[in-house]
Amino acid sequence: MKKTSRSAHVFLSVLASLPAASFALNPVVQTMYTADPAPMVHQGTLYLFSSHDQDVGEKNNFNMKDWVLATTTDMVNWTQHGAIASLRDFPWAAKEISGWDGFDNGAWAPQVIERDGKWYLYAPVQGRGIGVLVADNPLGPYTDPIKKPLIAGHAGGLYDSIDPTVFIDDKGQAYLAWGNPNLWSVKLNKDMISYDTSVGENGIIRHPMTVKALGERNPPDTQGTTLPKPALRGTSYEEGPWLYKRKNLNYLFFAGGPIPEHLAYATGPTPEGPWTYGGVVMTPQSAFTNHPGVVDFKGKTYLFYHNAELPGGDGFKRSVAVDELKFNPDGSVRMVQPTREGPAPVATLDPYKRVEAETIAWSSGVKIEPSSAGGQNVRDIHDGAYIQVRNVDFGASGARAFMASLSSTAKPKQATGARIEIRLGKLDGQLIGTLPVTGTGGQWKPQSVRVSGASGVQDVFFVFRGAAGEELFKFDYWQFSHRDLPAPAAQAARADRAHNPLIWADVPDIAVIRVGNTYYMSSTTMHMSPGLPIMKSTDLVNWSMASYAYDTLADNEAFRLENGKNAYGEGSWASSLRYHDGMFYASTFSATAGGRTHIYTTRDPGRGPWKETSFEPALGDHSLFFDDDGRVYMVCGGGRISLIELKPDLSGFKPGGVNKVIIDNVNALFGADQGGLKAEGSQLSKINGRYYLFNIASPKTRWARTVIVHRADKIDGPYEGRIALDDRGIAQGGLIDTPEGKWYAYLFKDNGAVGRVPYLVPVTWKDGWPVLGQDGEVPMTLDIPAGGQGPSGASGIVASDEFDRSPGAPALPLAWQWNHNPEPRNWSLTRRPGYLSLVTSRVDSSLPEARNTLTQRTFGPDSFATTSIDVSGMKDGDWAGLAAFQKKYGFVGVKMSDGARSLVMVSADSDQPEEIAAIPLSGTTVHLKVETEFQSAPEEARFGVDEGVGKTYGIPGAPEVARFSYSLDGKSWTPIGRASRLVYTFPHFMGYRYALFYYSTKTAGGRVDFDYYRIGQSGVSR
């Protein structure tokens, strides 16, 4: 185990001795020394970029190699992302190229700005030049697009090319200013990596260094700069400029001299001045330098600065702090008195979502490092160290369980003696739970404990206990749950082993094949476009989308939702998936798209393209089969099962080929109990020279989807059969083997409103028959590593989407499907880059009739989806929003009526849509949320068809509901309306979908823009 040094013990004890007020916020980051704050706001998150003073280095000198990032949504809890760029990202700064100090020092004050989906980081390199790095997201990776300094050292002196500040005005003009001892600026071109050379001196403008503009220096400068030639400073301006605009007034904040520096400001009509000195904003602090950063966030203005308040801090080991900045009515700036408390929180923290361990309001004795699991993790955890998070909203019902992802070098499941005390309010506050830490062999493993007493809004302390002097473990993330934990044995099994259902989402009618070490799976999505989804996996547990076999199945009035027609519950049904002679085959059938059988082929399911062949008639629930002698067949039918030989090119029935009934009545195995579901869902396999045919059927007296297996020595029979599985309706599928020789059955189960969910069932062999399950039951845990399965297993088939697209990227990720065929002219990701724009070209009366409704699966056991929508382009009679979509749908959205917009919640759970709530909406942008709660269907509950009507048989499960809310800032959510009951029913014959929609009821031609679509889960355990 790692031993802690004496200095670490001193650091820990000093932090622990700080007054209680220091627990609030300042300095912002305690796990490292940070300086030169550069805050910016993007899409509801405050990004704090800064320089990084190393813990160790040359005494009385700056030691700075990289730039770091922390983020917040509430101003009190900061997620630390570590280094996001370094001197090494500027190849031209190498010592052998530049002759400078190389990559070991000189990463000084940066600033970052976002424009058109790109992030631009401007930074000085050793005071000799300012470079620019570009990334597609704030975490990087950042690259140098110009391979040289953007601003090279110039006549102002060695340190004149430092401290860049970047600003974009209301007209889109970007400016870059910098300098010590002078103030310089350029007008950046729109590409942000070059500047206008037609102004100033080859583009560089020197600002007048006058007392009127920048204040009087007191006492006057008598020494001046030393390189390249002495020059006296005539004003209070020292360095660290920061451009900011409030109302119609531009501000220049800066670090003023003499040393130790204070913060001051000037104002002007433009970002280029002319400037008029305004006064001092902050007096000198504990570090001899300072650096301002000013930003507006959630209705307030904040001043970021640095000091030397952390233990061990000095002028070369600084720490960023923040306080609220206030203005007088005339625009002048009030003096800021630094505080330990920092700003008040502006939002609460949701403990029922994953929270990174490096999200910290205050900490003692811990550090962060890059995590093997991605992102960062907390390290250097010793006895007595702790982490505090603030303003945690447990809600009225409170938390019942806590989970932490931990890594310990002790042997797996070995007791370590380490523990996490979870306390409320203060370091020695109410103890709501203690998590004993077990060994993980250096791997990341979730560990859980029951908690009690956590409700309302609280500060939470994670206090680490264990043997003195040892590094106890590492900490990746944590999450609370409303739900209690299962029995300890079951919890341990679930942490390590895969579970059923494999995917708690609507993935019915599955067919699975293995090609080498990769498994492929097809499923049914009926009236959705694109359709016939193909998924892939390397472990039979974790599945991801690979492609769709078709974009649209047919182009007719039903699929266009025209003239009152639709294809709900129709389109393509159960598919078959095969691999033969280097080619993949996915086949399906449709009675509503011309009554045809469709076969799609490709050599690469991940890249396509898929080529279609079709013929009449539609062969229902067929199984495509290539035999060893080169002949190809389809097995199909309901109740009576037939074998039909196809032409070699799959274009239709083979003239003179086999066409015969091979099983006259599958249901005969039920004896006298006839009249239930007639056999369907054929899937044929050949194993060790014998043919095995899987079907499902049901007796009359109870709706129990049952697995029936027949076998034969010849493909055309005779077949003998038996009931292979009768357990909770888990049925319909076939057999699959692993490279190691293990066998499984892949099946699915009606699981309430979420839809029909896949199960994996272990198979053994006895007397040439497959034996499914354990003692006739399907186990809920599997002897397969869970990997990244998680509670829902759906992470590979659903996805959040910011609607940003890189060049060459697909228009829509594979998780998306349109309800029926889309109208391509009425949706776009380019009309407003970064948004999904929907327009209307016709009038519809309700959501099920609307075209261009974009959907993804809901998923269990509970999940949520959020979006933000700009409704400024809506017309009278328009509706737009986010739905839980099935026949009995519910949604939260915006309607436009008589020129006024309203937030509305609508439910159709009583068969007809009803407006449950309406609230006036004054703005044009609103955030919407739908939360769905699903239950495992009880053993005796079945969904079936009786005389053409969908019915639920047996004991109904607990109510499954959707709940709706809205937000004006994307953080604080307000419920609207009531819970809407979720019911799986005809004609949709599909699990509930999250749906983005827009339709017109009076006049077409309006437009809405969706900014993002984000999904998640709130529960810890399944």
Side-chain angles (χ1 to χ4, degrees), residues 350-683:
D350 185 352
Y352 303 113
K353 300 178 181 178
R354 169 173 166 159
V355 180
E356 302 302 318
E358 61 272 18
T359 298
I360 299 171
W362 190 261
S363 66
S364 171
V366 299
K367 295 284 189 180
I368 66 167
E369 66 181 1
S371 173
S372 60
Q376 303 285 311
N377 63 255
V378 174
R379 65 173 175 88
D380 281 5
I381 295 175
H382 298 83
D383 180 55
Y386 65 86
I387 290 173
Q388 178 198 9
V389 287
R390 290 197 60 200
N391 224 40
V392 179
D393 189 357
F394 289 102
S397 59
R400 300 181 67 185
F402 170 79
M403 182 274 291
S405 179
L406 307 173
S407 173
S408 166
T409 57
K411 293 180 179 179
K413 301 183 181 180
Q414 174 183 308
T416 66
R419 62 194 184 277
I420 302 176
E421 295 178 353
I422 310 164
R423 296 184 177 273
L424 301 182
K426 54 184 180 178
L427 194 58
D428 59 351
Q430 178 187 352
L431 182 67
I432 63 170
T434 299
L435 174 64
V437 178
T438 59
T440 68
Q443 303 298 309
W444 291 107
K445 297 292 182 182
Q447 303 188 33
S448 302
V449 68
R450 290 183 172 93
V451 297
S452 62
S455 61
V457 178
Q458 304 277 355
D459 284 5
V460 178
F461 288 77
F462 300 114
V463 186
F464 308 117
R465 301 295 185 188
E470 294 183 349
E471 184 179 37
L472 302 176
F473 52 87
K474 296 182 179 182
F475 192 6
D476 189 17
Y477 64 88
W478 57 266
Q479 189 171 1
F480 285 88
S481 174
H482 292 295
R483 296 186 179 87
D484 203 353
L485 293 175
Q491 178 71 8
R494 286 181 178 176
D496 299 324
R497 296 164 59 191
H499 60 73
N500 276 316
L502 282 182
I503 304 174
W504 200 326
D506 192 43
V507 187
D509 300 331
I510 53 178
V512 179
I513 61 172
R514 177 173 63 85
V515 180
N517 293 321
T518 303
Y519 303 91
Y520 296 89
M521 178 167 67
S522 63
S523 180
T524 296
T525 53
M526 301 182 204
H527 49 274
M528 294 289 173
S529 295
L532 213 172
I534 309 296
M535 293 148 276
K536 66 179 181 179
S537 171
T538 57
D539 60 7
L540 281 173
V541 174
N542 296 278
W543 293 89
S544 61
M545 291 297 304
S547 63
Y548 292 94
Y550 63 80
D551 288 328
T552 57
L553 182 66
D555 185 20
N556 57 34
E557 288 185 332
F559 278 97
R560 293 193 300 267
L561 291 169
E562 291 179 350
N563 297 322
K565 297 180 180 180
N566 65 69
Y568 285 114
E570 297 175 345
S572 65
W573 281 18
S575 63
S576 181
L577 187 62
R578 297 293 181 186
Y579 177 77
H580 178 67
D581 285 348
M583 187 72 73
F584 291 83
Y585 299 80
S587 59
T588 187
F589 71 101
S590 176
T592 57
R596 302 180 70 84
T597 298
H598 303 261
I599 302 174
Y600 302 89
T601 59
T602 185
R603 292 196 177 275
D604 186 347
R607 303 175 68 178
W610 290 86
K611 179 181 178 182
E612 181 187 8
T613 298
S614 68
F615 58 83
E616 293 180 336
L619 298 181
D621 278 16
H622 65 251
S623 179
L624 179 64
F625 185 80
F626 295 89
D627 210 347
D628 297 337
D629 59 5
R631 299 167 74 180
V632 59
Y633 304 89
M634 278 189 172
V635 179
C636 59
R640 175 178 293 177
I641 307 301
S642 296
L643 177 70
I644 299 171
E645 188 172 1
L646 302 183
K647 298 176 183 179
D649 64 359
L650 308 181
S651 61
F653 293 8
K654 179 180 179 180
V658 176
N659 189 336
K660 63 178 289 188
V661 174
I662 55 175
I663 304 174
D664 187 62
N665 182 14
V666 174
N667 291 52
L669 290 170
F670 296 125
D673 197 0
Q674 298 295 304
L677 171 69
K678 293 182 179 180
E680 61 183 27
S682 294
Q683 295 206 28

Side-chain angles (χ1 to χ4, degrees), residues 10 126 138 142 168 257 320 414 474 593 696 764 816 827 864 886 923 997:
V10 173
Q126 302 158 3
Y142 286 85
I168 301 176
V320 170
Q414 174 183 308
K474 296 182 179 182
I696 62 165
T764 56
W816 288 114
W827 71 275
F864 65 84
Q886 224 256 14
F997 69 89

